[in-house]
């Protein structure tokens, strides 16, 4: 089974008037501030989580149906092999579909939006002075099977799913069933249904990762209030001002860092040697302590290292929570160039290009160095697929940036404006200098 997103198209979402973004092994969103890069990146992330959540809800629906048929004596107790079990389930697809209610799916999607965006209601995501937002998604759950999703956000705050092909998702889940074993006697209806569905990995690495890693211990208390309370079945009553001042995905990034620390791989490694760090990270998973040792051998707590080292360390540690083998899902990275010298930005681009071979990556960036380096790696065949989009602050639309076979990148309008401005200043200074020399 392949669970990916082909593309997302939005109208009047956040500051974006219109955008259609195709997801490749590596997708890049660039543009000026406040043009909607983070809005789109977050939307990609939560819609991949939505597919994972709904897909995970299908298997219990299959089990419930088989158990109900057994209790009603419509199925005899015993062992049903792969072919028999799948045939029975296919005959009852309409009943399975009814168990995945539209209202429940809309509520699930609404919850993801309010949890991942710093909003109290989905209506806050509608573009200024517009009455509704429209989002269309095209998932691909098998090589030749598409799964469309379309939903609207209305001005009253309501979110409604207008299109979602649940049947395609159910059919795909049925194809993973290996056998069903229905118990008899007093336990009639008790059953074991076996099937293997590959996991969908999702990871969001926000721009605030420096704060997440530098203040790891102090942020754990907030996680206990929000994430921890949810795990205990308690809905935390956090004040509204916290929703607007604390980016929700920052807390999730702290959770990801904690998961990375607890992972078997992390415990085995104990240290990370990576060229882009110009040193080594020394890890203590028990105390969540990270030390940085530079090339001279000097050791300091990571919070005492440079901001560039801290943000790159957070990037590396977060990515360790994703299994190294090729997987399904999506990793979102905000501004990997933050606090990093241009020569190291090229190393970061190489690192990301290598990682996108195992899982799709979407990144936002202001760095022309990173975009150009990725285009060169794509031209060399070292990046399986690359799409770059520029979000224009004037049209409020996303425009695809041309990547030529030579690795050359179409000059972005904002970069051209900066170069023209600097060139104009340089010429004016040279003219003023020449005139001054003539007067002297």
């Amino acid at each position: 089974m392949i669970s990916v997103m082909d593309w997302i198209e939005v109208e009047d979402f956040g500051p974006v008037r219109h955008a259609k973004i195709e997801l490749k092994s590596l997708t890049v969103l660039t543009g000026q501030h406040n043009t909607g890069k983070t809005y789109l990146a977050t939307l990609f992330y939560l819609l991949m989580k939505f597919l994972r959540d709904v897909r995970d809800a299908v298997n219990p629906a299959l089990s419930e149906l088989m158990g109900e048929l057994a209790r009603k004596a419509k199925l005899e107790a015993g062992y049903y092999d792969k072919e028999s079990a799948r045939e029975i389930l296919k005959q009852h697809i309409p009943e399975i579909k009814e168990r995945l209610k539209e209202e429940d799916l809309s509520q699930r999607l609404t919850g993801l939006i309010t949890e991942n965006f710093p909003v109290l209601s989905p209506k806050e995501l509608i573009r200024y002075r517009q009455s509704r937002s429209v989002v269309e998604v095209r998932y691909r759950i098998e090589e030749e099977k598409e799964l469309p999703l379309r939903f609207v956000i209305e001005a009253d705050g309501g979110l409604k799913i207008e299109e979602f092909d649940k049947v395609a998702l159910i059919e795909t889940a049925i194809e993973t069933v290996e056998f069903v074993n229905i118990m008899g006697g007093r336990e009639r209806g008790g059953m074991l249904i076996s099937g293997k569905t590959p996991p969908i990995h999702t990871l969001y690495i926000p721009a605030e990762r420096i704060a997440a890693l530098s203040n790891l211990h102090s942020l754990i208390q907030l996680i206990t209030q929000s994430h921890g309370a949810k795990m205990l079945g308690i809905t935390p009553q956090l004040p509204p001002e916290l929703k607007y001042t604390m980016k929700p995905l920052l807390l999730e990034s702290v959770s990801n860092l904690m998961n990375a620390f607890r992972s078997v791989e992390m415990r085995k490694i104990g240290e990370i040697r990576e060229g882009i760090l110009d040193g080594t990270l020394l890890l203590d998973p028990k105390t969540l302590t990270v030390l940085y040792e530079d090339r001279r051998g000097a050791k300091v707590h990571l919070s005492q290292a440079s901001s560039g080292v801290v943000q790159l360390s957070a990037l590396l540690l977060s990515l360790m929570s994703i299994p190294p083998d090729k997987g399904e899902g999506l990793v979102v990275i905000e501004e990997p160039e933050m606090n990093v010298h241009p020569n190291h930005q090229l190393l970061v681009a190489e690192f990301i290009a290598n990682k996108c071979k195992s899982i799709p990556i979407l990144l936002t960036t202001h760095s022309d160095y990173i975009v150009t380096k990725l285009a060169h790696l794509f031209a060399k065949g070292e990046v399986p697929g690359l799409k770059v989009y520029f979000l224009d602050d004037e049209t409020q639309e996303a425009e695809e940036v041309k990547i030529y076979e030579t690795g050359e990148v179409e000059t972005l309008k904002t970069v051209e404006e900066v170069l023209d401005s600097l060139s104009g200043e340089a010429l004016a200074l040279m003219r003023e200098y020449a005139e001054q020399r003539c007067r002297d």
Side-chain angles (χ1 to χ4, degrees):
M1 180 191 291
I2 300 173
S3 299
V4 297
M5 232 182 287
D6 282 347
W7 50 262
I8 286 181
E9 185 170 9
V10 304
E11 292 180 11
D12 297 323
F13 184 83
V16 182
R17 191 185 75 81
H18 177 262
K20 185 172 183 179
I21 308 296
E22 186 178 352
L23 190 67
K24 293 293 186 181
S25 298
L26 186 54
T27 307
V28 181
L29 303 180
T30 187
Q32 290 182 286
H33 298 287
N34 202 35
T35 53
K37 298 184 297 296
T38 299
Y39 277 85
L40 292 176
T42 304
L43 183 63
F44 265 100
Y45 174 70
L46 73 89
L47 287 176
M48 185 61 80
K49 290 183 72 173
F50 176 72
L51 174 63
R52 181 193 65 192
D53 292 350
V54 175
R55 196 188 68 172
D56 290 346
V58 172
N59 287 334
L62 302 183
S63 297
E64 289 172 10
L65 175 77
M66 295 293 280
E68 184 177 311
L69 292 175
R71 286 190 297 273
K72 292 180 178 180
K74 293 182 179 181
L75 279 181
E76 294 182 0
Y79 176 87
Y80 292 81
D81 62 15
K82 178 169 59 179
E83 288 75 17
S84 301
R86 292 180 182 179
E87 186 58 35
I88 294 170
L89 289 167
K90 287 176 183 177
Q91 293 173 7
H92 294 85
I93 286 179
E95 293 100 306
I96 301 170
K97 182 181 175 182
E98 286 300 315
R99 295 173 186 272
L100 301 173
K101 299 183 183 300
E102 298 290 346
E103 300 80 16
D104 293 342
L105 296 179
S106 294
Q107 189 175 15
R108 187 185 297 265
L109 186 52
T110 300
L112 281 171
I113 285 177
T114 54
E115 288 170 10
N116 287 277
F117 284 100
V119 299
L120 296 175
S121 169
K123 68 180 180 181
E124 297 177 51
L125 296 173
I126 300 175
R127 191 166 69 94
Y128 183 57
R129 290 184 175 176
Q130 302 304 308
S131 60
R132 66 189 330 221
S133 289
V134 181
V135 178
E136 292 191 53
V137 191
R138 189 71 77 241
Y139 297 110
R140 185 169 299 279
I141 53 177
E142 282 186 348
E143 194 66 46
E144 300 298 330
K145 186 175 291 186
E146 294 181 344
L147 177 63
L149 168 66
R150 173 188 167 92
F151 67 91
V152 296
I153 301 173
E154 302 289 358
D156 62 1
L159 183 151
K160 181 181 179 182
I161 294 179
E162 295 187 337
E163 180 184 10
F164 186 55
D165 190 357
K166 294 182 287 187
V167 172
L169 199 60
I170 293 168
E171 290 175 341
T172 305
I174 289 174
E175 292 303 313
T176 67
V177 174
E178 293 298 322
F179 69 86
V180 172
N181 192 14
I182 299 176
M183 302 175 188
R186 292 182 179 178
E187 296 182 349
R188 183 171 183 80
M191 58 173 295
L192 173 65
I193 183 168
S194 175
K196 186 176 182 180
T197 304
I200 296 178
H201 305 293
T202 56
L203 177 64
Y204 199 105
I205 306 178
E208 297 86 351
R209 55 188 168 273
I210 296 179
L213 190 55
S214 299
N215 303 282
L216 189 60
H217 293 83
S218 59
L219 286 170
I220 289 175
Q221 185 174 2
L222 279 176
I223 292 180
T224 303
Q225 287 182 308
S226 57
H227 292 57
K230 286 182 184 179
M231 297 173 86
L232 294 173
I234 303 170
T235 301
Q237 299 297 320
L238 297 179
E241 58 269 20
L242 181 60
K243 184 73 172 177
Y244 294 111
T245 57
M246 175 65 70
K247 190 174 180 179
L249 288 172
L250 176 59
L251 294 182
E252 187 165 323
S253 70
V254 175
S255 296
N256 290 329
L257 285 170
M258 292 171 65
N259 290 335
F261 271 99
R262 294 191 183 101
S263 68
V264 175
E265 290 79 8
M266 182 76 81
R267 291 177 183 276
K268 286 182 179 178
I269 293 173
E271 64 179 39
I272 299 177
R273 297 181 183 274
E274 189 65 49
I276 60 177
L277 290 175
D278 286 333
T280 303
L281 294 181
L282 305 174
L283 314 170
D284 185 348
K286 293 183 179 179
T287 61
L288 300 182
T289 300
V290 185
L291 299 178
Y292 174 68
E293 181 179 355
D294 65 19
R295 289 178 174 175
R296 299 168 300 172
K299 295 179 183 179
V300 296
H301 191 279
L302 189 59
S303 61
Q304 297 173 304
S306 71
S307 58
V309 168
V310 176
Q311 87 92 349
L312 289 175
S313 299
L315 177 64
L316 291 171
L317 292 169
S318 297
L319 286 171
M320 288 194 71
S321 65
I322 295 292
D325 55 327
K326 187 173 179 60
E328 301 173 353
L330 179 66
V331 172
V332 176
I333 304 174
E334 284 189 321
E335 302 179 29
E337 74 277 6
M338 279 180 40
N339 305 98
V340 177
H341 191 275
N343 62 355
H344 274 58
Q345 289 185 32
L346 304 186
L347 297 176
V348 171
E350 291 177 349
F351 176 80
I352 292 173
N354 184 60
K355 192 67 180 178
C356 79
K357 296 173 184 176
S358 59
I359 189 169
I361 292 178
L362 183 145
L363 63 89
T364 67
T365 183
H366 293 284
S367 172
D368 198 38
Y369 299 114
I370 285 184
V371 173
T372 302
K373 182 61 177 180
L374 292 175
H376 291 173
L377 293 170
F378 176 64
K380 293 178 181 179
E382 296 179 28
V383 174
L386 174 66
K387 286 282 187 179
V388 178
Y389 293 91
F390 173 74
L391 277 85
D392 193 310
D393 67 323
E394 293 181 0
T395 65
Q396 296 181 307
E397 296 189 355
E399 304 170 358
E400 184 177 351
V401 179
K402 292 181 181 178
I403 306 293
Y404 300 96
E405 293 181 357
T406 58
E408 186 179 1
V409 182
E410 176 186 9
T411 303
L412 302 179
K413 183 172 67 174
T414 49
V415 174
E416 204 165 18
E417 291 172 353
V418 170
L419 294 176
D420 289 344
S421 175
L422 291 174
S423 299
E425 286 181 352
L427 289 172
L429 288 169
M430 292 174 65
R431 192 179 301 114
E432 183 180 335
Y433 176 75
E435 290 173 355
Q436 182 67 38
R437 289 293 299 269
C438 288
R439 287 194 295 269
D440 293 342

